[in-house]
Amino acid sequence: MKQTAGPVLTAWKALLTVMYGLPILWIVLTSFKSSGDVFSTSSALIFSPTTEAYRDVLTADLLKPLSQSVLIATGTTVLVLLIAIPAAYGLARTRGHLTSIGLALLIVLQMMPQTATVIPLFQVFGSWTLLDSTVGVILADTALLAPFATLLLRPFFRSVPPELEEAGSIDGASLMRTFVSIVVPVARNGIFTVGTLVFLLAWGEFLYAVNFFLSPGEYPLSVLLAQQVSAFGINWPGLMALAVVTSIPILIVFTSTYRLLRDGLTVGAVK
Amino acid sequence: MTAPLTATRAPVTPRARSGRQRQVRLVFLLPAAVFMGLFSIYPLIQLVRMSVSAVTVGTLNQEWVFTGLDNFSRSFSGEGAPALTRTLVFVVVVTGLGMLLGLAAAITLRTRGRWSGFLLALMVFVWALPPVVNGSVWKFLLADSGLFNTVLLASGLRDSPVPFLYDQHWALMSVAFVNAFAVIPFNALVFRAALMNIPPETFEAAALDGASRWQEIRHIMLPSVRSSTLVLLVLTIVYGFRSFDFIYVMTYGGPGTATNTLPFLGYMQAFVRYDFGLGAATSVAAVLGVLVLAAVYARSIRREESES
C-alpha cells in the first residue's frame, strides 16, 4: 500500500528539512562571504563569493591542529577497540556476579558527566606527568568512550552463534585463536559501527584537550573552534571556514559508513 | 531483544563443561578492568577525596587538608541551589522537545521515498557533526543580526532583536533548544526502528477499517514504540543533564550565571576560579544525580527484557 502523506505531515517534514538543512547551508554560505557581507540583509543569499576566509584559515599553521586531531581520533579509536572488543565479548559470553557488576559499572561510567571527570583527571595526570601530552588526551578520551563502546558492541557478540566457537574448540583451537579468527570476523559490522562512532566522538572532543594541553600550539581543530567561537569580536567567515574544514573528515567518514550507522546505532542503545 | 543487560538464567545444557569454559572468558575483561580502574575509578575516588578537602590550583599536588562537608555547604548555600533548579528546567525542556519531536520526526521518516531517505541522512549527519560546529552555527543564527532576528525584524513581528543568548531567561531556553535539536536525530532513529517493525498488514487493516491518520498514530504507532520509550527517556534525560558543550560554546555559562547547570558550574568553579575542592563538591552532587538515573536505566532495561 502506498502511504500518502497528509498536509500536516508534509508541512512537518518540510520544517524538519529546513531545520536541519539551514544550519549546514549557512555554515557553507558564510564561509564564502567577505566580512562586509556577513550581517548585511541584502546579501543574505546573493553575494559575490570569495575564498578570502579559506585563504586566511588554510595556512601552514593549520597543519599542526589537523595532525593533532587525526592523531587523537585515530589513537583513541584504536585503543578503545583494543579494550572494548575483548571486554564486550567477555561480557556477552559470561554470567554471574562479576558480569553483572561489570555491566552496572559500565552503565554508570558511560553516564558520568565529562565536566566531573575532567577535574580529578587534571590532578591525576599532573602527578603522572601526562599533562600537555597527546598521549594523555588519548588516554582520557579512551576512558571516556570505552564504556559506551563496550555496551554497544556487546549485542553484536551475543548474536554470534556459540556453535561456531564450539566447532573451533573441537578442532583444538585455543580460546584466544577462536576469538581472533572466528568471533571477531563474524562481528565485524558491529566493530566498524562502533569504531566509526568512537572516531566521530573523539574528533569532536574538546573539553579534555582544552584543559590538558597547557600549550595552545598542541590544540586539535575542535579546541581552536571552541576558542574562536567564545572569543569577543568573532570573525564569522573565518570561523565558518574552520567549521567546514573540521567537518570535512566527518563528512567523508559519514558518507562511507552511513548505512552501518543508521542500522547499527539503534542496536546497542536501546535493545 | 538482543542484549539483556542482566544475567538471565541459562537453560540447563547437557554439556556440563560449557559452564566452566564460559567463566574462563572473564579473562577477556582484564584489559578493560585494569584500564578503567586506572583512568576512571581511581580519578573518581580522587574526586570524592577532593570534595571533602580544601584544594586550590596551588595545592593540587600537595597534601590536602580535610574539611568535611564544608565544600558542599559552601556550594549549595551559594550558586549550587539555583544551578540545580536551572538544571531541572534545562533537562525538562531538552527531554520534552527531544522525545516529542524525535517521535514526530520518526513518524514522517517511516515512509520510504527519496525525501524521507534524504532527510534521515541529513539529520544523522548533523547529529554526527562535532558539537562545536553545531554550537558555532547556532550562535551565529541566534545573534542580534543573525538570520532569526533578521527575519523577525523584517517581518515586523519584533521591533528590536530578541536577545536569544544574552538575556537571562532566553539564554537557557536557547541553549536547551539547540541541545534538543542535536538529540532529535538520534531519538528519531530509535523510534523509527521500532516503527519499522510494525507489519504493513496492520496499516492495511487499519485503512480498510477507515482509520484516520491520527487514529493510526494513536492506536498503532504509539503502542509499538512504548517499550523503547522508557529507556530512551532515561538516555535523553542523562544527555540533557551532562550536556556542557553547547553551553561552553554558545554562552560559556552566561550571561552572569544564567546558563550554569550543575555539571557546568562544577567545571567553572574548578577551572575558572581554581577552587578545585568546591568544583569537586558540586561535581559529586552531579555524579549522585547520574547514579540515580543509571539505576532507573538498568531497571527499565530489565523490565523491557522481561516484557518481550
Side-chain angles (χ1 to χ4, degrees), chain A residues 4 12-13 17 20 39 89 95 103 120 123 154 165-166 211 229, chain B residues 4-5 15 25 43 46 104 108 115-116 139 145 181 213 267:
Chain A
T4 49
W12 167 231
K13 210 166 165 180
T17 311
Y20 285 89
F39 282 129
Y89 172 70
R95 57 174 75 93
L103 285 170
Q123 184 265 324
R154 186 171 163 264
E165 287 174 64
E166 276 158 28
N211 288 299
V229 73
Chain B
L5 280 172
R15 289 158 295 176
R25 290 181 173 79
Q46 290 294 87
T108 66
W115 190 1
S116 294
K139 187 173 185 177
S145 17
F181 167 86
R213 182 161 300 274
Y267 172 77

PDB file of all heavy atoms in Angstrom, chain A residues 4 12-13 17 20 39 89 95 103 120 123 154 165-166 211 229, chain B residues 4-5 15 25 43 46 104 108 115-116 139 145 181 213 267:
ATOM      1  N   THR A   4       0.162   7.827   1.507  1.00  0.00           N
ATOM      2  CA  THR A   4       0.158   9.216   1.070  1.00  0.00           C
ATOM      3  C   THR A   4       0.185  10.107   2.302  1.00  0.00           C
ATOM      4  O   THR A   4      -0.581   9.916   3.235  1.00  0.00           O
ATOM      5  CB  THR A   4      -1.098   9.534   0.246  1.00  0.00           C
ATOM      6  OG1 THR A   4      -2.228   9.056   0.971  1.00  0.00           O
ATOM      7  CG2 THR A   4      -1.041   8.884  -1.111  1.00  0.00           C
ATOM      8  N   TRP A  12       5.311  19.342   8.329  1.00  0.00           N
ATOM      9  CA  TRP A  12       6.257  18.991   9.399  1.00  0.00           C
ATOM     10  C   TRP A  12       7.574  18.501   8.805  1.00  0.00           C
ATOM     11  O   TRP A  12       8.655  18.859   9.249  1.00  0.00           O
ATOM     12  CB  TRP A  12       5.604  17.943  10.298  1.00  0.00           C
ATOM     13  CG  TRP A  12       6.493  17.227  11.268  1.00  0.00           C
ATOM     14  CD1 TRP A  12       6.590  15.885  11.430  1.00  0.00           C
ATOM     15  CD2 TRP A  12       7.388  17.797  12.248  1.00  0.00           C
ATOM     16  NE1 TRP A  12       7.490  15.585  12.413  1.00  0.00           N
ATOM     17  CE2 TRP A  12       8.002  16.736  12.932  1.00  0.00           C
ATOM     18  CE3 TRP A  12       7.742  19.107  12.577  1.00  0.00           C
ATOM     19  CZ2 TRP A  12       8.926  16.931  13.939  1.00  0.00           C
ATOM     20  CZ3 TRP A  12       8.691  19.306  13.578  1.00  0.00           C
ATOM     21  CH2 TRP A  12       9.263  18.227  14.248  1.00  0.00           C
ATOM     22  N   LYS A  13       7.446  17.702   7.734  1.00  0.00           N
ATOM     23  CA  LYS A  13       8.632  17.196   7.060  1.00  0.00           C
ATOM     24  C   LYS A  13       9.429  18.344   6.437  1.00  0.00           C
ATOM     25  O   LYS A  13      10.658  18.376   6.508  1.00  0.00           O
ATOM     26  CB  LYS A  13       8.180  16.238   5.961  1.00  0.00           C
ATOM     27  CG  LYS A  13       9.126  15.142   5.640  1.00  0.00           C
ATOM     28  CD  LYS A  13       8.363  14.128   4.799  1.00  0.00           C
ATOM     29  CE  LYS A  13       9.252  13.161   4.124  1.00  0.00           C
ATOM     30  NZ  LYS A  13       8.465  12.202   3.319  1.00  0.00           N
ATOM     31  N   THR A  17      13.219  19.555   7.331  1.00  0.00           N
ATOM     32  CA  THR A  17      14.251  19.695   6.304  1.00  0.00           C
ATOM     33  C   THR A  17      14.926  21.061   6.420  1.00  0.00           C
ATOM     34  O   THR A  17      16.152  21.165   6.342  1.00  0.00           O
ATOM     35  CB  THR A  17      13.637  19.522   4.899  1.00  0.00           C
ATOM     36  OG1 THR A  17      12.837  18.336   4.902  1.00  0.00           O
ATOM     37  CG2 THR A  17      14.708  19.403   3.842  1.00  0.00           C
ATOM     38  N   TYR A  20      17.183  21.249   9.706  1.00  0.00           N
ATOM     39  CA  TYR A  20      18.477  20.574   9.671  1.00  0.00           C
ATOM     40  C   TYR A  20      19.304  20.953   8.450  1.00  0.00           C
ATOM     41  O   TYR A  20      20.532  20.822   8.476  1.00  0.00           O
ATOM     42  CB  TYR A  20      18.287  19.055   9.786  1.00  0.00           C
ATOM     43  CG  TYR A  20      17.933  18.681  11.204  1.00  0.00           C
ATOM     44  CD1 TYR A  20      16.610  18.660  11.627  1.00  0.00           C
ATOM     45  CD2 TYR A  20      18.925  18.438  12.146  1.00  0.00           C
ATOM     46  CE1 TYR A  20      16.279  18.388  12.947  1.00  0.00           C
ATOM     47  CE2 TYR A  20      18.607  18.161  13.459  1.00  0.00           C
ATOM     48  CZ  TYR A  20      17.283  18.134  13.856  1.00  0.00           C
ATOM     49  OH  TYR A  20      16.970  17.885  15.160  1.00  0.00           O
ATOM     50  N   PHE A  39      26.651  40.263   7.848  1.00  0.00           N
ATOM     51  CA  PHE A  39      25.414  40.632   8.529  1.00  0.00           C
ATOM     52  C   PHE A  39      24.547  41.574   7.703  1.00  0.00           C
ATOM     53  O   PHE A  39      23.623  42.183   8.218  1.00  0.00           O
ATOM     54  CB  PHE A  39      25.723  41.264   9.895  1.00  0.00           C
ATOM     55  CG  PHE A  39      26.069  40.246  10.937  1.00  0.00           C
ATOM     56  CD1 PHE A  39      27.214  40.377  11.706  1.00  0.00           C
ATOM     57  CD2 PHE A  39      25.245  39.146  11.151  1.00  0.00           C
ATOM     58  CE1 PHE A  39      27.533  39.419  12.672  1.00  0.00           C
ATOM     59  CE2 PHE A  39      25.552  38.193  12.112  1.00  0.00           C
ATOM     60  CZ  PHE A  39      26.701  38.339  12.870  1.00  0.00           C
ATOM     61  N   TYR A  89      33.072  -9.017  24.360  1.00  0.00           N
ATOM     62  CA  TYR A  89      32.947 -10.462  24.146  1.00  0.00           C
ATOM     63  C   TYR A  89      32.860 -11.186  25.485  1.00  0.00           C
ATOM     64  O   TYR A  89      31.999 -12.046  25.693  1.00  0.00           O
ATOM     65  CB  TYR A  89      34.148 -10.950  23.338  1.00  0.00           C
ATOM     66  CG  TYR A  89      34.241 -12.445  23.220  1.00  0.00           C
ATOM     67  CD1 TYR A  89      33.337 -13.150  22.445  1.00  0.00           C
ATOM     68  CD2 TYR A  89      35.239 -13.158  23.898  1.00  0.00           C
ATOM     69  CE1 TYR A  89      33.414 -14.524  22.340  1.00  0.00           C
ATOM     70  CE2 TYR A  89      35.324 -14.526  23.803  1.00  0.00           C
ATOM     71  CZ  TYR A  89      34.416 -15.209  23.029  1.00  0.00           C
ATOM     72  OH  TYR A  89      34.493 -16.568  22.931  1.00  0.00           O
ATOM     73  N   ARG A  95      28.365 -15.141  32.687  1.00  0.00           N
ATOM     74  CA  ARG A  95      27.269 -14.675  33.530  1.00  0.00           C
ATOM     75  C   ARG A  95      27.680 -14.837  34.982  1.00  0.00           C
ATOM     76  O   ARG A  95      28.697 -15.451  35.282  1.00  0.00           O
ATOM     77  CB  ARG A  95      25.994 -15.450  33.226  1.00  0.00           C
ATOM     78  CG  ARG A  95      26.089 -16.932  33.383  1.00  0.00           C
ATOM     79  CD  ARG A  95      24.735 -17.554  33.191  1.00  0.00           C
ATOM     80  NE  ARG A  95      24.353 -17.583  31.790  1.00  0.00           N
ATOM     81  CZ  ARG A  95      24.592 -18.628  30.988  1.00  0.00           C
ATOM     82  NH1 ARG A  95      25.201 -19.686  31.470  1.00  0.00           N
ATOM     83  NH2 ARG A  95      24.212 -18.618  29.734  1.00  0.00           N
ATOM     84  N   LEU A 103      28.774  -4.859  34.072  1.00  0.00           N
ATOM     85  CA  LEU A 103      27.790  -4.145  33.254  1.00  0.00           C
ATOM     86  C   LEU A 103      27.273  -2.906  33.980  1.00  0.00           C
ATOM     87  O   LEU A 103      27.148  -1.822  33.387  1.00  0.00           O
ATOM     88  CB  LEU A 103      26.628  -5.068  32.915  1.00  0.00           C
ATOM     89  CG  LEU A 103      26.923  -6.114  31.842  1.00  0.00           C
ATOM     90  CD1 LEU A 103      25.800  -7.127  31.761  1.00  0.00           C
ATOM     91  CD2 LEU A 103      27.113  -5.429  30.498  1.00  0.00           C
ATOM     92  N   PRO A 120      39.239  15.570  38.472  1.00  0.00           N
ATOM     93  CA  PRO A 120      40.282  14.708  39.057  1.00  0.00           C
ATOM     94  C   PRO A 120      41.331  14.268  38.039  1.00  0.00           C
ATOM     95  O   PRO A 120      42.497  14.097  38.407  1.00  0.00           O
ATOM     96  CB  PRO A 120      39.491  13.504  39.575  1.00  0.00           C
ATOM     97  CG  PRO A 120      38.241  13.484  38.786  1.00  0.00           C
ATOM     98  CD  PRO A 120      37.918  14.920  38.488  1.00  0.00           C
ATOM     99  N   GLN A 123      44.230  16.539  37.958  1.00  0.00           N
ATOM    100  CA  GLN A 123      45.147  16.340  39.085  1.00  0.00           C
ATOM    101  C   GLN A 123      45.967  15.056  38.901  1.00  0.00           C
ATOM    102  O   GLN A 123      47.183  15.055  39.048  1.00  0.00           O
ATOM    103  CB  GLN A 123      44.332  16.289  40.389  1.00  0.00           C
ATOM    104  CG  GLN A 123      45.174  16.175  41.647  1.00  0.00           C
ATOM    105  CD  GLN A 123      45.323  14.733  42.098  1.00  0.00           C
ATOM    106  OE1 GLN A 123      44.409  13.943  41.982  1.00  0.00           O
ATOM    107  NE2 GLN A 123      46.502  14.406  42.601  1.00  0.00           N
ATOM    108  N   ARG A 154      28.491  -5.234  22.756  1.00  0.00           N
ATOM    109  CA  ARG A 154      28.093  -6.497  23.387  1.00  0.00           C
ATOM    110  C   ARG A 154      26.986  -7.222  22.621  1.00  0.00           C
ATOM    111  O   ARG A 154      27.122  -8.424  22.359  1.00  0.00           O
ATOM    112  CB  ARG A 154      27.678  -6.216  24.835  1.00  0.00           C
ATOM    113  CG  ARG A 154      27.393  -7.473  25.622  1.00  0.00           C
ATOM    114  CD  ARG A 154      27.216  -7.138  27.092  1.00  0.00           C
ATOM    115  NE  ARG A 154      26.569  -8.213  27.804  1.00  0.00           N
ATOM    116  CZ  ARG A 154      25.274  -8.258  28.048  1.00  0.00           C
ATOM    117  NH1 ARG A 154      24.497  -7.273  27.634  1.00  0.00           N
ATOM    118  NH2 ARG A 154      24.744  -9.265  28.695  1.00  0.00           N
ATOM    119  N   GLU A 165      31.879 -21.251  17.741  1.00  0.00           N
ATOM    120  CA  GLU A 165      33.055 -21.352  18.595  1.00  0.00           C
ATOM    121  C   GLU A 165      33.300 -22.783  19.014  1.00  0.00           C
ATOM    122  O   GLU A 165      34.431 -23.239  19.121  1.00  0.00           O
ATOM    123  CB  GLU A 165      32.852 -20.519  19.865  1.00  0.00           C
ATOM    124  CG  GLU A 165      32.947 -19.048  19.617  1.00  0.00           C
ATOM    125  CD  GLU A 165      32.600 -18.300  20.864  1.00  0.00           C
ATOM    126  OE1 GLU A 165      33.331 -18.447  21.846  1.00  0.00           O
ATOM    127  OE2 GLU A 165      31.582 -17.586  20.864  1.00  0.00           O
ATOM    128  N   GLU A 166      32.188 -23.499  19.288  1.00  0.00           N
ATOM    129  CA  GLU A 166      32.351 -24.883  19.721  1.00  0.00           C
ATOM    130  C   GLU A 166      33.010 -25.693  18.625  1.00  0.00           C
ATOM    131  O   GLU A 166      33.900 -26.507  18.894  1.00  0.00           O
ATOM    132  CB  GLU A 166      30.997 -25.473  20.114  1.00  0.00           C
ATOM    133  CG  GLU A 166      30.648 -25.107  21.544  1.00  0.00           C
ATOM    134  CD  GLU A 166      29.161 -25.181  21.828  1.00  0.00           C
ATOM    135  OE1 GLU A 166      28.478 -25.968  21.161  1.00  0.00           O
ATOM    136  OE2 GLU A 166      28.714 -24.448  22.719  1.00  0.00           O
ATOM    137  N   ASN A 211      41.845  21.545  28.382  1.00  0.00           N
ATOM    138  CA  ASN A 211      42.391  21.642  29.733  1.00  0.00           C
ATOM    139  C   ASN A 211      43.718  20.911  29.921  1.00  0.00           C
ATOM    140  O   ASN A 211      44.534  21.317  30.736  1.00  0.00           O
ATOM    141  CB  ASN A 211      41.373  21.130  30.750  1.00  0.00           C
ATOM    142  CG  ASN A 211      40.216  22.090  30.912  1.00  0.00           C
ATOM    143  OD1 ASN A 211      40.396  23.233  31.309  1.00  0.00           O
ATOM    144  ND2 ASN A 211      39.029  21.638  30.553  1.00  0.00           N
ATOM    145  N   VAL A 229      35.023  30.640  18.908  1.00  0.00           N
ATOM    146  CA  VAL A 229      33.613  30.977  18.997  1.00  0.00           C
ATOM    147  C   VAL A 229      33.293  31.612  20.341  1.00  0.00           C
ATOM    148  O   VAL A 229      32.325  32.350  20.471  1.00  0.00           O
ATOM    149  CB  VAL A 229      32.717  29.752  18.721  1.00  0.00           C
ATOM    150  CG1 VAL A 229      32.734  28.772  19.862  1.00  0.00           C
ATOM    151  CG2 VAL A 229      31.290  30.170  18.413  1.00  0.00           C
TER     152      VAL A 229
ATOM    153  N   PRO B   4      20.196  -8.582  26.677  1.00  0.00           N
ATOM    154  CA  PRO B   4      19.772  -8.446  28.067  1.00  0.00           C
ATOM    155  C   PRO B   4      20.969  -7.984  28.892  1.00  0.00           C
ATOM    156  O   PRO B   4      22.047  -8.578  28.796  1.00  0.00           O
ATOM    157  CB  PRO B   4      19.357  -9.866  28.474  1.00  0.00           C
ATOM    158  CG  PRO B   4      19.518 -10.721  27.280  1.00  0.00           C
ATOM    159  CD  PRO B   4      20.285  -9.967  26.247  1.00  0.00           C
ATOM    160  N   LEU B   5      20.786  -6.911  29.634  1.00  0.00           N
ATOM    161  CA  LEU B   5      21.932  -6.408  30.397  1.00  0.00           C
ATOM    162  C   LEU B   5      22.031  -7.086  31.749  1.00  0.00           C
ATOM    163  O   LEU B   5      22.951  -6.872  32.499  1.00  0.00           O
ATOM    164  CB  LEU B   5      21.833  -4.899  30.568  1.00  0.00           C
ATOM    165  CG  LEU B   5      22.302  -4.154  29.335  1.00  0.00           C
ATOM    166  CD1 LEU B   5      22.035  -2.692  29.439  1.00  0.00           C
ATOM    167  CD2 LEU B   5      23.784  -4.396  29.101  1.00  0.00           C
ATOM    168  N   ARG B  15      25.762 -30.271  28.189  1.00  0.00           N
ATOM    169  CA  ARG B  15      27.217 -30.151  28.220  1.00  0.00           C
ATOM    170  C   ARG B  15      27.652 -29.481  29.509  1.00  0.00           C
ATOM    171  O   ARG B  15      27.579 -28.260  29.636  1.00  0.00           O
ATOM    172  CB  ARG B  15      27.701 -29.344  27.026  1.00  0.00           C
ATOM    173  CG  ARG B  15      27.572 -30.086  25.713  1.00  0.00           C
ATOM    174  CD  ARG B  15      27.533 -29.133  24.562  1.00  0.00           C
ATOM    175  NE  ARG B  15      26.330 -28.294  24.631  1.00  0.00           N
ATOM    176  CZ  ARG B  15      26.088 -27.312  23.783  1.00  0.00           C
ATOM    177  NH1 ARG B  15      26.955 -27.001  22.873  1.00  0.00           N
ATOM    178  NH2 ARG B  15      24.971 -26.613  23.886  1.00  0.00           N
ATOM    179  N   ARG B  25      36.214 -17.114  30.177  1.00  0.00           N
ATOM    180  CA  ARG B  25      36.196 -15.919  29.326  1.00  0.00           C
ATOM    181  C   ARG B  25      36.190 -14.613  30.114  1.00  0.00           C
ATOM    182  O   ARG B  25      36.276 -13.542  29.537  1.00  0.00           O
ATOM    183  CB  ARG B  25      35.010 -15.980  28.369  1.00  0.00           C
ATOM    184  CG  ARG B  25      35.181 -17.052  27.308  1.00  0.00           C
ATOM    185  CD  ARG B  25      34.006 -17.086  26.368  1.00  0.00           C
ATOM    186  NE  ARG B  25      34.229 -17.991  25.240  1.00  0.00           N
ATOM    187  CZ  ARG B  25      34.104 -19.308  25.306  1.00  0.00           C
ATOM    188  NH1 ARG B  25      33.757 -19.874  26.450  1.00  0.00           N
ATOM    189  NH2 ARG B  25      34.317 -20.066  24.246  1.00  0.00           N
ATOM    190  N   PRO B  43      40.400   8.096  39.383  1.00  0.00           N
ATOM    191  CA  PRO B  43      40.052   9.526  39.364  1.00  0.00           C
ATOM    192  C   PRO B  43      38.758   9.843  40.102  1.00  0.00           C
ATOM    193  O   PRO B  43      38.665  10.871  40.771  1.00  0.00           O
ATOM    194  CB  PRO B  43      39.913   9.833  37.865  1.00  0.00           C
ATOM    195  CG  PRO B  43      40.791   8.851  37.199  1.00  0.00           C
ATOM    196  CD  PRO B  43      40.702   7.603  38.024  1.00  0.00           C
ATOM    197  N   GLN B  46      39.522  10.056  43.657  1.00  0.00           N
ATOM    198  CA  GLN B  46      40.187  11.342  43.893  1.00  0.00           C
ATOM    199  C   GLN B  46      39.180  12.494  43.924  1.00  0.00           C
ATOM    200  O   GLN B  46      39.310  13.429  44.714  1.00  0.00           O
ATOM    201  CB  GLN B  46      41.228  11.616  42.802  1.00  0.00           C
ATOM    202  CG  GLN B  46      42.436  10.738  42.868  1.00  0.00           C
ATOM    203  CD  GLN B  46      43.249  10.990  44.124  1.00  0.00           C
ATOM    204  OE1 GLN B  46      42.991  10.396  45.171  1.00  0.00           O
ATOM    205  NE2 GLN B  46      44.230  11.885  44.045  1.00  0.00           N
ATOM    206  N   ALA B 104       7.843  12.528  16.527  1.00  0.00           N
ATOM    207  CA  ALA B 104       7.161  13.135  15.380  1.00  0.00           C
ATOM    208  C   ALA B 104       8.020  12.999  14.125  1.00  0.00           C
ATOM    209  O   ALA B 104       7.509  12.709  13.040  1.00  0.00           O
ATOM    210  CB  ALA B 104       6.868  14.606  15.667  1.00  0.00           C
ATOM    211  N   THR B 108       7.305  10.773  10.333  1.00  0.00           N
ATOM    212  CA  THR B 108       7.427  11.195   8.928  1.00  0.00           C
ATOM    213  C   THR B 108       8.550  10.437   8.215  1.00  0.00           C
ATOM    214  O   THR B 108       8.509  10.272   7.016  1.00  0.00           O
ATOM    215  CB  THR B 108       7.729  12.692   8.789  1.00  0.00           C
ATOM    216  OG1 THR B 108       9.017  12.932   9.322  1.00  0.00           O
ATOM    217  CG2 THR B 108       6.725  13.550   9.486  1.00  0.00           C
ATOM    218  N   TRP B 115      12.579  11.699  -0.399  1.00  0.00           N
ATOM    219  CA  TRP B 115      12.633  12.807   0.558  1.00  0.00           C
ATOM    220  C   TRP B 115      12.949  12.293   1.968  1.00  0.00           C
ATOM    221  O   TRP B 115      13.844  12.797   2.649  1.00  0.00           O
ATOM    222  CB  TRP B 115      11.299  13.575   0.526  1.00  0.00           C
ATOM    223  CG  TRP B 115      11.328  14.858   1.291  1.00  0.00           C
ATOM    224  CD1 TRP B 115      12.393  15.383   1.956  1.00  0.00           C
ATOM    225  CD2 TRP B 115      10.256  15.773   1.478  1.00  0.00           C
ATOM    226  NE1 TRP B 115      12.055  16.571   2.536  1.00  0.00           N
ATOM    227  CE2 TRP B 115      10.745  16.829   2.257  1.00  0.00           C
ATOM    228  CE3 TRP B 115       8.915  15.790   1.048  1.00  0.00           C
ATOM    229  CZ2 TRP B 115       9.939  17.897   2.644  1.00  0.00           C
ATOM    230  CZ3 TRP B 115       8.124  16.859   1.425  1.00  0.00           C
ATOM    231  CH2 TRP B 115       8.639  17.900   2.212  1.00  0.00           C
ATOM    232  N   SER B 116      12.227  11.230   2.375  1.00  0.00           N
ATOM    233  CA  SER B 116      12.462  10.678   3.714  1.00  0.00           C
ATOM    234  C   SER B 116      13.894  10.191   3.855  1.00  0.00           C
ATOM    235  O   SER B 116      14.559  10.439   4.865  1.00  0.00           O
ATOM    236  CB  SER B 116      11.506   9.521   3.992  1.00  0.00           C
ATOM    237  OG  SER B 116      10.188   9.994   4.063  1.00  0.00           O
ATOM    238  N   LYS B 139      25.032  29.752  17.335  1.00  0.00           N
ATOM    239  CA  LYS B 139      25.362  31.041  17.945  1.00  0.00           C
ATOM    240  C   LYS B 139      25.257  32.146  16.901  1.00  0.00           C
ATOM    241  O   LYS B 139      24.782  33.248  17.174  1.00  0.00           O
ATOM    242  CB  LYS B 139      26.781  30.984  18.523  1.00  0.00           C
ATOM    243  CG  LYS B 139      27.147  32.217  19.327  1.00  0.00           C
ATOM    244  CD  LYS B 139      28.481  32.058  20.015  1.00  0.00           C
ATOM    245  CE  LYS B 139      28.737  33.274  20.896  1.00  0.00           C
ATOM    246  NZ  LYS B 139      29.981  33.149  21.654  1.00  0.00           N
ATOM    247  N   SER B 145      22.186  40.222  14.781  1.00  0.00           N
ATOM    248  CA  SER B 145      21.919  40.416  13.359  1.00  0.00           C
ATOM    249  C   SER B 145      21.978  39.099  12.617  1.00  0.00           C
ATOM    250  O   SER B 145      22.221  39.051  11.425  1.00  0.00           O
ATOM    251  CB  SER B 145      22.902  41.422  12.761  1.00  0.00           C
ATOM    252  OG  SER B 145      24.013  41.594  13.597  1.00  0.00           O
ATOM    253  N   PHE B 181      17.716  20.015  19.571  1.00  0.00           N
ATOM    254  CA  PHE B 181      17.989  19.923  18.133  1.00  0.00           C
ATOM    255  C   PHE B 181      19.032  18.840  17.851  1.00  0.00           C
ATOM    256  O   PHE B 181      18.907  18.065  16.907  1.00  0.00           O
ATOM    257  CB  PHE B 181      18.476  21.294  17.648  1.00  0.00           C
ATOM    258  CG  PHE B 181      19.091  21.318  16.282  1.00  0.00           C
ATOM    259  CD1 PHE B 181      18.300  21.450  15.155  1.00  0.00           C
ATOM    260  CD2 PHE B 181      20.467  21.231  16.120  1.00  0.00           C
ATOM    261  CE1 PHE B 181      18.872  21.479  13.894  1.00  0.00           C
ATOM    262  CE2 PHE B 181      21.043  21.261  14.870  1.00  0.00           C
ATOM    263  CZ  PHE B 181      20.243  21.388  13.752  1.00  0.00           C
ATOM    264  N   ARG B 213      -5.586   9.191  10.015  1.00  0.00           N
ATOM    265  CA  ARG B 213      -4.158   9.180  10.270  1.00  0.00           C
ATOM    266  C   ARG B 213      -3.865   9.305  11.767  1.00  0.00           C
ATOM    267  O   ARG B 213      -2.988   8.652  12.305  1.00  0.00           O
ATOM    268  CB  ARG B 213      -3.495  10.335   9.518  1.00  0.00           C
ATOM    269  CG  ARG B 213      -2.004  10.388   9.688  1.00  0.00           C
ATOM    270  CD  ARG B 213      -1.403  11.215   8.607  1.00  0.00           C
ATOM    271  NE  ARG B 213      -1.696  10.648   7.313  1.00  0.00           N
ATOM    272  CZ  ARG B 213      -0.945   9.703   6.762  1.00  0.00           C
ATOM    273  NH1 ARG B 213       0.095   9.241   7.374  1.00  0.00           N
ATOM    274  NH2 ARG B 213      -1.250   9.228   5.583  1.00  0.00           N
ATOM    275  N   TYR B 267      32.532  22.613  36.770  1.00  0.00           N
ATOM    276  CA  TYR B 267      33.675  22.849  35.899  1.00  0.00           C
ATOM    277  C   TYR B 267      34.212  24.266  36.063  1.00  0.00           C
ATOM    278  O   TYR B 267      35.422  24.486  36.205  1.00  0.00           O
ATOM    279  CB  TYR B 267      33.268  22.586  34.446  1.00  0.00           C
ATOM    280  CG  TYR B 267      34.315  22.972  33.444  1.00  0.00           C
ATOM    281  CD1 TYR B 267      35.429  22.174  33.238  1.00  0.00           C
ATOM    282  CD2 TYR B 267      34.210  24.158  32.723  1.00  0.00           C
ATOM    283  CE1 TYR B 267      36.405  22.519  32.327  1.00  0.00           C
ATOM    284  CE2 TYR B 267      35.175  24.520  31.816  1.00  0.00           C
ATOM    285  CZ  TYR B 267      36.268  23.703  31.616  1.00  0.00           C
ATOM    286  OH  TYR B 267      37.237  24.073  30.717  1.00  0.00           O
TER     287      TYR B 267
END
